[in-house]
Amino acid sequence: MMPYKHFPSKDHILMELRLEAFQRLTTHMRRAQAEAQTPTGALVAVSQAYVGFALKAPNDYRLMFDAWEFENYAQISADFGDSISREADSWRVNLDAVTAFAEAENLAIDCNFAAHWLWSSLHGMVQLHLSRKLAFGMEIQQLEQIFSEKIPTSIRAFSQK
């Protein structure tokens, strides 16, 4: 019962844990992006960092993305205020990597769409793995390696040129 001395409800505890997990994911992705030598390398590195985080911290990942119905979301929003935006920081790293890649390649693409495609593809791969639904002869490491190799080509395919 010690956490309840510092938080008014279970929702507050879970939201704080969620936000901390999102911050760790964002830091991991930003580090990968910064260490890359090229926009293509950053695009791949950010994607690999996303998957790598989920594999290293599956419980954090589940907490971040599994459905959770807050008893009183309006109260959580009021109490956490702008800090709730930390949930979107990792998304912004993803969007930044896609945008930098598209600019470097001079691609005429909708970067928001391409970033959503990438994000949902990575998320789907991870969710299938974590729910033990990758049961048809492929391991996530194999998929992630192939996917990483194909990300730049796939993003280029969205070009409207």
Side-chain angles (χ1 to χ4, degrees):
M1 292 302 195
M2 289 297 288
Y4 286 106
K5 289 184 178 183
H6 304 285
F7 296 94
S9 72
K10 179 174 78 171
D11 283 347
H12 286 81
I13 295 168
L14 290 172
M15 183 55 123
E16 185 58 39
L17 291 171
R18 249 175 104 153
L19 293 175
E20 288 176 13
F22 270 108
Q23 186 59 49
R24 285 190 298 277
L25 171 61
T26 301
T27 299
H28 191 62
M29 291 172 70
R30 282 188 179 141
R31 187 176 307 121
Q33 185 180 31
E35 291 173 358
Q37 301 297 313
T38 65
T40 301
L43 178 68
V44 172
V46 164
S47 300
Q48 290 172 333
Y50 180 93
V51 174
F53 176 86
L55 297 179
K56 289 176 188 161
N59 291 331
D60 285 348
Y61 189 88
R62 285 184 184 103
L63 178 64
M64 293 158 55
F65 290 107
D66 282 357
W68 173 258
E69 293 292 324
F70 292 103
E71 290 180 21
N72 186 348
Y73 190 77
Q75 186 63 52
I76 290 291
S77 293
D79 291 348
F80 281 86
D82 290 341
S83 67
I84 288 179
S85 70
R86 288 185 285 173
E87 288 185 318
D89 289 346
S90 53
W91 157 254
R92 288 185 197 97
V93 176
N94 174 61
L95 178 60
D96 290 347
V98 168
T99 301
F101 172 76
E103 289 173 356
E105 297 267 327
N106 198 29
L107 299 176
I109 65 171
D110 178 343
C111 291
N112 190 51
F113 172 81
H116 273 90
W117 170 83
L118 180 58
W119 188 261
S120 62
S121 297
L122 294 169
H123 181 73
M125 183 176 12
V126 167
Q127 283 295 103
L128 285 169
H129 169 74
L130 292 178
S131 64
R132 300 187 186 338
K133 301 294 188 225
L134 282 179
F136 304 105
M138 294 291 285
E139 297 291 326
I140 192 163
Q141 292 81 2
Q142 294 169 292
L143 279 176
E144 195 264 341
Q145 180 182 354
I146 294 165
F147 192 81
S148 291
E149 293 169 5
K150 301 298 181 188
I151 291 169
T153 303
S154 298
I155 299 291
R156 286 183 196 108
F158 294 124
S159 182
Q160 299 164 0
K161 282 188 174 183

